[in-house]
Amino acid sequence: MTRTLIAGNWKMNGLKSSLGEIRDAAAGVGQGKAGVEALLCVPATLLTLAAEAAHGSALRVGGETCHAAESGAHTGDVSAEMLADAGATHVIVGHSERRTDHAESNETAALRAGMTPIICIGESLDQRKAGETLEFVASQIAGSIPDGAAAEQIVIAYEPIWAIGTGEVATPDQIDEVHTAIRTRLAERFGADAADLIPLLYGGSMKPGNAAEILAVKDVNGGLIGGASLKAADFLAIYGQAK
Ligand code: PGA
C-alpha cells in the first residue's frame, strides 16, 4: 500500500524562537496514525534542535537540500551525511527554488546517506500554457531519479511552479492528469507494483481549507506544504485530513 506523507517545507524561515511550533506539531502528531507519516523540513541551522523537539513523537524532521558529495571543499554546503547526523530522515531535492537559485537537480547523496529524497518536479506557467507540462515532468523524472534507486526509497513531489507561494492552486483535474502521468512513467521504470509504493505529493499553496479536496485526488499520496506548515495548527489541520 502507498504510504501517505504530509511534509512541511519551512524554506528560509525559522529561528530558535520558532521551535515551539515544532514542539506543538510533535504533540499534535503524537504517536502518529497508521499509514500516514508527518515530516517538517527545516533550515539546517535548526535541524538538531528540531529533531530534539520532535523526539518521542512520530513527527520526523528533514533537510531542504544537500550537496552530492559526502564532504569536501564546498564552502557553505551541507551533505546528506551531515543532515542525517543532525537527525534528518528525509531531504527535499530539486525544489524549484533551488533549481532556479542554485541549478540543483541531484538527489544521489540522500540515497547514499540512507535518507529518503523528496524529489521535486513541476512546470512553469509558460510551459503549462504551451501544453508542455506532461512532457517536461516526464523529462524531470527521467533526469532526477538516480540509476539504482529503489522505489521504496524515494518520494516525488509535483509542484507546479505557478502554484508555489502564489495562493493559486492547481485544480483537482490538473493534479489528477499530472499525477496519473507520473505514476505511468514510474511504472515504466520500476514496474507497476513497485511504482505504486512511491508516494506522490502535491505541493503549491496547499492549506487546511483545500487539503481534503487535493488529498482525495487519485494518485495523490500527501502534500509538500510551504507557507501553511510554519504554524503547527495549520500543519496539524492538514495532517488531520490525511488518510
Ligand atoms: P507553498 O510552497 O505551500 O507556500 O506554496 C510549497 C513548496 O514550495 O514546497
Side-chain angles (χ1 to χ4, degrees), residues 9 11 95-97 159 163-166 203-206 224-228:
N9 173 12
K11 309 192 178 185
H95 189 282
S96 59
E97 289 153 14
E159 299 204 301
I164 294 177
T166 58
S205 299
M206 197 163 161
L224 183 57
I225 301 127

Side-chain angles (χ1 to χ4, degrees), residues 62-122:
E64 300 180 3
T65 182
C66 65
H67 195 279
E70 185 177 336
S71 61
H74 303 288
T75 303
D77 277 314
V78 291
S79 68
E81 282 74 8
M82 291 169 175
L83 296 177
D85 188 49
T89 54
H90 296 63
V91 61
I92 298 169
V93 293
H95 189 282
S96 59
E97 289 153 14
R98 299 287 311 173
R99 290 181 191 262
T100 302
D101 293 353
H102 302 280
E104 180 175 312
S105 69
N106 199 330
E107 67 301 316
T108 49
L111 288 171
R112 200 194 52 234
M115 270 200 291
T116 302
I118 301 174
I119 302 168
C120 299
I121 57 177

Side-chain angles (χ1 to χ4, degrees), residues 25-229:
V29 168
Q31 294 315 301
K33 51 184 178 181
V36 185
E37 295 175 10
L39 170 76
L40 282 174
C41 296
V42 299
T45 48
L46 285 182
L47 257 181
T48 305
L49 293 169
E52 278 170 25
H55 187 72
S57 79
L59 177 68
R60 298 285 172 260
V61 297
E64 300 180 3
T65 182
C66 65
H67 195 279
E70 185 177 336
S71 61
H74 303 288
T75 303
D77 277 314
V78 291
S79 68
E81 282 74 8
M82 291 169 175
L83 296 177
D85 188 49
T89 54
H90 296 63
V91 61
I92 298 169
V93 293
H95 189 282
S96 59
E97 289 153 14
R98 299 287 311 173
R99 290 181 191 262
T100 302
D101 293 353
H102 302 280
E104 180 175 312
S105 69
N106 199 330
E107 67 301 316
T108 49
L111 288 171
R112 200 194 52 234
M115 270 200 291
T116 302
I118 301 174
I119 302 168
C120 299
I121 57 177
E123 81 287 0
S124 67
L125 191 54
D126 284 349
Q127 288 168 318
R128 176 158 283 276
K129 283 184 178 157
E132 295 165 4
T133 298
L134 298 185
E135 196 187 327
F136 181 66
V137 163
S139 73
Q140 284 187 311
I141 293 175
S144 305
I145 302 176
D147 293 341
E152 54 272 17
Q153 289 178 298
I154 58 176
V155 174
I156 303 233
Y158 168 56
E159 299 204 301
I161 296 170
W162 47 272
I164 294 177
T166 58
E168 194 167 340
V169 190
T171 66
D173 281 351
Q174 289 172 324
I175 299 172
D176 182 47
E177 182 188 32
V178 179
H179 278 232
T180 301
I182 295 171
R183 190 77 76 195
T184 303
R185 293 283 91 76
L186 294 172
E188 285 165 10
R189 171 127 179 204
F190 293 102
D193 288 350
D196 279 346
L197 297 175
I198 301 176
L200 303 187
L201 315 186
Y202 168 80
S205 299
M206 197 163 161
K207 48 184 187 278
N210 60 27
E213 188 180 36
I214 294 169
L215 292 170
V217 175
K218 185 178 158 292
D219 276 318
V220 170
N221 314 115
L224 183 57
I225 301 127
S229 72

